[in-house]
C-alpha cells in the first residue's frame, strides 16, 4: 500500500499539489495520521478551486462561484463547504463524489480540532486515496448542469468559427463535460437535430458537435451515442445532418453498426444531386477502415451507376494536386473500379469510358476491354451485344492504340463470334471491313499471318464472316496469306476446307481468284 501511495503522488501533474501530497505521505510514513488527513484534504480543496477557476472562462456558473469563493477567502471566512456545495450544484462533482468529500471534510475537522480524535492508518489512507481518486486524478469537468448552457451556445452562427474543422471547439467542450453525462448530452443534441422547429444553425452545430465528441469518446460511450442515431437515417432532412457529421469526422462511422452503415452508403450513393462535398465523402467512406470489403464494392457499384454523377468528378478527385491521394489509396480505388467494371453493363462502360482512358491505368484498361469483349459476345440478348459493338466503334482511336495487341485481337474475335450468333451490329461492322476500327483489323490480320494465335478454332468454324471481313476490307490477298499460315500451323480438315469453299462461292468469289486457297482446297 505504501508503494501505491507513492505512485499516486508521482502521477500528480500540478507541482504545488504534488508537494502537498508528498508531505502528507511523509506524515503518514511517520505515523502522523491526522496531519496526513489534513494535508490531503487541503490539497483536494486547492485542486477543486483550481478546477472551478479553469472552467470560469467558459462556464458562467463557474465564474459566479469563483467570485463567491474569492470573497470568502478575502474575508478570511471558511469556504470549503461553499466550494463543495457550489461544485456539486454546477455539476463539477457528481452526487457520490459530493457525499465522499463531505465525509472527508468531517474527518479533517475531527483531526484539526482538539477533541481526542485519534486517526488510524486506514482512515488516513482512505482520505489520501479518495482525494486523489475524486479530485486530483480527474480533469476539470462539468456535469449535466452544463446542458442548458451548451444548447444555448449552439444557436450562434459562429459557434464553430470554421465549420470545416470542428475538432478544436469540440475538444474544448469535451474537456469540460463530465464523461458520465456526455452520452446524455449527446442525446439532447441529437434531439435538436430531429426537431423541425430548431433553426438550421442549431441543427448543424449540434451535428458537428456530436461528430466532434466522437473523436475522443471511448467504446462504451460510443455504444450509447450510437443508440440515439438510427432515427436520423430514415428521413431525408435529418439525414442531411448525418452527412455533415461524416464530412467533419469520417471516423464517426465506427460507432454505427453494420446495418446502419449500409443505410448510409445507400442513401449517399443514390442521392439525386451530388455536390462536390458529397462525392468526396463517398470516397472517404470507401477508403474508411471501418467498412468491410463487400460494402466497399457496393459503394462503388452504387456510386458509378448514379445517373447524375459526372465522371469528371472522379478524375478530379483522383488527380487533385492540392490534396493528392497517396498511391495506396489511389490503388484501392482503382482495384474497386476494376471490380465494378467487371460486373457493369454497357451503359456503365459507355459512361465511364472517357474516365478510364484519362486515368491511363493498364489494370483499368484490361478490366474495361475484357468486359466490353464479354458484352459484345453476349448474344442471349442481342441488344447488349449490339450496344457493346456500337460502343467499340465510338471509342477514341488513341485509346484503342494504347491497349495491347492481344486485347485488340480478342475484340475482333468477339465481333466474329457475335456475328456468327446473329448479332446485327457485329455483322454490320464486319460488312464494312471494320470501318473506323481498321487498327483492330490490321493487328488481327498480322497475328494470323505471324502465327501468334494460340487457338484458331473460333475462326475456322466461322469462315463466312471471316471471309466477309477480308473481302469487305479489300484485302482478299491478305486472307490467302492468313489461311496459308493457318494451314501450315494447324492443317485443315476436309470439312473445314469444304466450308471455306462453300462460303467463297456463296459470297460470289471464285476459288481461282485465290490461288493459295485453290491450292489448299485441291
Amino acid at each position: 500500500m505504501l508503494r501505491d501511495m507513492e505512485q499516486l503522488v508521482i502521477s500528480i501533474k500540478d507541482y504545488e499539489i504534488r508537494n502537498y501530497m508528498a508531505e502528507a505521505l511523509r506524515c503518514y510514513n511517520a505515523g502522523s495520521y491526522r496531519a496526513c488527513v489534513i494535508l490531503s484534504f487541503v490539497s483536494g480543496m486547492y485542486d477543486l478551486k483550481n478546477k472551478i477557476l479553469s472552467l470560469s472562462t467558459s462556464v458562467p456558473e463557474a465564474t459566479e462561484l469563483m467570485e463567491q469563493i474569492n470573497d470568502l477567502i478575502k474575508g478570511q471566512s471558511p469556504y470549503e463547504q461553499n466550494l463543495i456545495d457550489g461544485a456539486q450544484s454546477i455539476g463539477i462533482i457528481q452526487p457520490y463524489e459530493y457525499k465522499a468529500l463531505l465525509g472527508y471534510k468531517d474527518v479533517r475537522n475531527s483531526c484539526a480540532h482538539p477533541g481526542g480524535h485519534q486517526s488510524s492508518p486506514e482512515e488516513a489512507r482512505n482520505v489520501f486515496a479518495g482525494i486523489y481518486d475524486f479530485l486530483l486524478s480527474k480533469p476539470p469537468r462539468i456535469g449535466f448542469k452544463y446542458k442548458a448552457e451548451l444548447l444555448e451556445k449552439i444557436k450562434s452562427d459562429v459557434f464553430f468559427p470554421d465549420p470545416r474543422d470542428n475538432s478544436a471547439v469540440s475538444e474544448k467542450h469535451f474537456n469540460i463535460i463530465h464523461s458520465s453525462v456526455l452520452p446524455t448530452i449527446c442525446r439532447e443534441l441529437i434531439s435538436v437535430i430531429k426537431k423541425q422547429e430548431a433553426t438550421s444553425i442549431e441543427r448543424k452545430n449540434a451535428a458537428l458537435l456530436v461528430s466532434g465528441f466522437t473523436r475522443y469518446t471511448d467504446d462504451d460511450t460510443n455504444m450509447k451515442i450510437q443508440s440515439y442515431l438510427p432515427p436520423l437515417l430514415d428521413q431525408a432532412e435529418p439525414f442531411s445532418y448525418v452527412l455533415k457529421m461524416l464530412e467533419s469526422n469520417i471516423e464517426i462511422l465506427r460507432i454505427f453498426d453494420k446495418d446502419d452503415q449500409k443505410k448510409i452508403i445507400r442513401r449517399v450513393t443514390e442521392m439525386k444531386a451530388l455536390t462536390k462535398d458529397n462525392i468526396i465523402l463517398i470516397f472517404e467512406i470507401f477508403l474508411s477502415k471501418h467498412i468491410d470489403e463487400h460494402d466497399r464494392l457496393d459503394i462503388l457499384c452504387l456510386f458509378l451507376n448514379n445517373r447524375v454523377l459526372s465522371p469528371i468528378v472522379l478524375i478530379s478527385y483522383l488527380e487533385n494536386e492540392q490534396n493528392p491521394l497517396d498511391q495506396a489509396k489511389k490503388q484501392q480505388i482503382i482495384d474497386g473500379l476494376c471490380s465494378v467494371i467487371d460486373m457493369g453493363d454497357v451503359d456503365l462502360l459507355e459512361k465511364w469510358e472517357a474516365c478510364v482512358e484519362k486515368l491511363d491505368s493498364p489494370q483499368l484498361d484490361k478490366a474495361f476491354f475484357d468486359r466490353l469483349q464479354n458484352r459484345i459476345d453476349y448474344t442471349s440478348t442481342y441488344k447488349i451485344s449490339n450496344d457493346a459493338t456500337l460502343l467499340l466503334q465510338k471509342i477514341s482511336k488513341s485509346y484503342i492504340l494504347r491497349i495491347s495487341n492481344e486485347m485488340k485481337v480478342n475484340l475482333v474475335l468477339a465481333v466474329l463470334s457475335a456475328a456468327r450468333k446473329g448479332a446485327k451490329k457485329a455483322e454490320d461492322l464486319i460488312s464494312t471491313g471494320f470501318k473506323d476500327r481498321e487498327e483492330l483489323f490490321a493487328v488481327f490480320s498480322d497475328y494470323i499471318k505471324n502465327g501468334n494465335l494460340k487457338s484458331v478454332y473460333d475462326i475456322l468454324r466461322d469462315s463466312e464472316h471471316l471471309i466477309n471481313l477480308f473481302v469487305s476490307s479489300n484485302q482478299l490477298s491478305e486472307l490467302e496469306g492468313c489461311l496459308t499460315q493457318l494451314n501450315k500451323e494447324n492443317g485443315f480438315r476436309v470439312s473445314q476446307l469444304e466450308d471455306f469453299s462453300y462460303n467463297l462461292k456463296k459470297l460470289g468469289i471464285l476459288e481461282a481468284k485465290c490461288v493459295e486457297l485453290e491450292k489448299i482446297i485441291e
Side-chain angles (χ1 to χ4, degrees):
M1 189 65 189
L2 292 179
R3 182 183 178 188
D4 289 343
M5 293 173 74
E6 291 172 357
Q7 290 299 318
L8 296 183
V9 172
I10 292 171
S11 67
I12 296 170
K13 295 180 179 179
D14 185 279
Y15 175 77
E16 193 165 359
I17 293 175
R18 186 168 63 249
N19 282 345
Y20 264 97
M21 291 297 281
E23 186 174 350
L25 179 57
R26 287 194 293 272
C27 291
Y28 178 89
N29 291 336
S32 299
Y33 302 124
R34 286 185 297 180
C36 175
V37 168
I38 293 169
L39 285 168
S40 297
F41 187 77
V42 169
S43 299
M45 293 302 98
Y46 183 77
D47 177 76
L48 184 57
K49 183 164 68 73
N50 284 347
K51 282 181 167 62
I52 295 170
L53 180 62
S54 69
L55 291 170
S56 64
T57 58
S58 54
V59 181
E61 292 88 344
T63 304
E64 294 174 7
L65 178 58
M66 198 67 240
E67 290 173 354
Q68 294 173 15
I69 299 303
N70 285 335
D71 288 342
L72 290 171
I73 293 173
K74 288 177 183 177
Q76 297 186 340
S77 300
Y79 70 90
E80 289 97 340
Q81 186 68 47
N82 299 73
L83 186 66
I84 296 171
D85 288 344
Q88 194 270 339
S89 69
I90 64 176
I92 294 176
I93 57 175
Q94 300 305 299
Y96 68 94
E97 296 169 327
Y98 173 74
K99 183 178 179 179
L101 290 176
L102 290 181
Y104 301 151
K105 176 176 172 290
D106 291 340
V107 174
R108 190 283 309 263
N109 290 341
S110 297
C111 291
H113 303 294
H117 178 76
Q118 296 295 321
S119 184
S120 65
E122 291 77 18
E123 182 179 74
R125 288 198 302 268
N126 182 51
V127 174
F128 184 96
I131 289 294
Y132 176 85
D133 290 337
F134 295 138
L135 292 175
L136 307 185
S137 66
K138 295 182 177 181
R141 297 280 176 91
I142 198 166
F144 194 68
K145 300 288 178 69
Y146 188 55
K147 182 197 75 169
E149 178 73 21
L150 189 60
L151 293 181
E152 188 63 31
K153 286 182 176 182
I154 63 172
K155 293 178 181 179
S156 170
D157 59 358
V158 291
F159 179 75
F160 286 103
D162 182 0
R164 295 168 297 179
D165 182 8
N166 65 346
S167 56
V169 173
S170 299
E171 183 177 18
K172 171 187 171 184
H173 290 281
F174 176 82
N175 289 333
I176 290 173
I177 299 170
H178 200 285
S179 59
S180 64
V181 300
L182 184 63
T184 306
I185 288 181
C186 284
R187 183 180 64 190
E188 293 295 317
L189 291 170
I190 291 168
S191 295
V192 170
I193 298 172
K194 293 189 288 186
K195 287 180 182 176
Q196 295 284 344
E197 60 270 23
T199 66
S200 60
I201 292 294
E202 286 178 84
R203 299 169 85 180
K204 181 190 75 173
N205 287 340
L208 293 178
L209 193 55
V210 171
S211 173
F213 283 160
T214 61
R215 295 176 186 271
Y216 316 106
T217 46
D218 57 28
D219 290 341
D220 289 340
T221 302
N222 286 340
M223 286 182 65
K224 294 174 183 177
I225 296 174
Q226 189 275 331
S227 66
Y228 311 138
L229 290 171
L232 300 180
L233 306 180
D234 297 327
Q235 297 179 8
E237 187 183 25
F239 182 73
S240 66
Y241 294 98
V242 175
L243 294 183
K244 295 186 184 302
M245 291 182 184
L246 291 164
E247 288 167 2
S248 65
N249 176 24
I250 194 64
E251 288 299 304
I252 197 176
L253 269 176
R254 77 185 193 280
I255 77 171
F256 289 95
D257 63 28
K258 291 300 180 184
D259 289 339
D260 286 342
Q261 285 183 357
K262 290 179 185 294
K263 281 186 181 180
I264 291 171
I265 290 167
R266 184 162 290 277
R267 289 193 70 100
V268 172
T269 53
E270 292 183 349
M271 291 177 69
K272 293 182 179 179
L274 285 173
T275 65
K276 179 182 178 182
D277 287 341
N278 294 153
I279 290 158
I280 292 174
L281 174 60
I282 289 171
F283 281 104
E284 291 296 325
I285 294 173
F286 172 81
L287 294 169
S288 171
K289 62 185 178 183
H290 306 297
I291 298 295
D292 63 35
E293 289 305 315
H294 182 270
D295 289 340
R296 205 184 304 280
L297 184 57
D298 281 349
I299 291 171
L300 277 182
C301 285
L302 293 166
F303 177 62
L304 297 182
N305 281 291
N306 188 309
R307 294 186 178 278
V308 299
L309 175 65
S310 168
I312 300 300
V313 178
L314 175 61
I315 296 172
S316 64
Y317 179 79
L318 291 175
E319 299 183 348
N320 186 348
E321 294 181 358
Q322 295 180 343
N323 186 25
L325 283 174
D326 63 51
Q327 192 56 41
K329 287 186 175 181
K330 186 171 182 179
Q331 185 59 49
Q332 196 174 11
I333 292 176
I334 288 176
D335 289 343
L337 286 171
C338 289
S339 298
V340 174
I341 286 171
D342 190 51
M343 300 183 298
D345 58 19
V346 180
D347 286 343
L348 183 138
L349 294 177
E350 184 168 13
K351 180 178 181 180
W352 291 93
E353 176 264 320
C355 175
V356 173
E357 179 183 1
K358 174 75 174 176
L359 292 173
D360 195 10
S361 161
Q363 181 185 353
L364 267 177
D365 291 348
K366 186 175 187 313
F368 180 87
F369 283 102
D370 282 353
R371 186 58 177 172
L372 181 59
Q373 175 191 337
N374 174 276
R375 297 293 82 187
I376 290 171
D377 198 18
Y378 186 85
T379 52
S380 295
T381 303
Y382 284 131
K383 184 179 187 310
I384 292 176
S385 176
N386 290 337
D387 288 348
T389 303
L390 289 174
L391 175 57
L392 174 62
Q393 295 172 264
K394 294 177 184 177
I395 296 173
S396 69
K397 183 174 182 178
S398 60
Y399 191 14
I400 293 290
L401 290 173
R402 188 173 84 196
I403 64 176
S404 69
N405 284 344
E406 183 179 0
M407 288 185 197
K408 295 184 181 81
V409 171
N410 287 338
L411 287 169
V412 176
L413 290 174
V415 173
L416 286 168
S417 177
R420 179 179 58 81
K421 298 170 187 175
K424 180 69 167 59
K425 295 303 178 182
E427 292 177 342
D428 290 347
L429 182 57
I430 290 171
S431 68
T432 65
F434 267 64
K435 184 180 179 182
D436 299 325
R437 281 284 77 101
E438 292 87 352
E439 63 276 9
L440 291 179
F441 176 74
V443 172
F444 174 75
S445 176
D446 287 343
Y447 248 54
I448 297 176
K449 285 191 295 183
N450 296 327
N452 290 327
L453 282 178
K454 295 179 181 179
S455 173
V456 295
Y457 176 74
D458 285 339
I459 296 177
L460 297 180
R461 68 176 179 169
D462 188 23
S463 60
E464 178 181 357
H465 292 100
L466 179 64
I467 294 167
N468 195 14
L469 173 58
F470 278 87
V471 170
S472 299
S473 58
N474 294 316
Q475 297 191 47
L476 198 55
S477 59
E478 291 291 321
L479 176 61
E480 291 183 14
C482 290
L483 293 177
T484 299
Q485 182 64 33
L486 288 174
N487 186 51
K488 179 181 177 182
E489 296 289 333
N490 301 276
F492 288 132
R493 296 192 299 273
V494 173
S495 60
Q496 293 170 337
L497 293 173
E498 290 175 346
D499 187 54
F500 268 106
S501 179
Y502 170 79
N503 284 308
L504 284 168
K505 292 176 181 177
K506 179 181 176 182
L507 292 168
I509 303 169
L510 298 176
E511 291 92 327
K513 292 183 180 180
C514 304
V515 177
E516 293 298 329
L517 277 179
E518 186 176 15
K519 290 179 181 178
I520 294 171
I521 293 172
E522 289 177 352

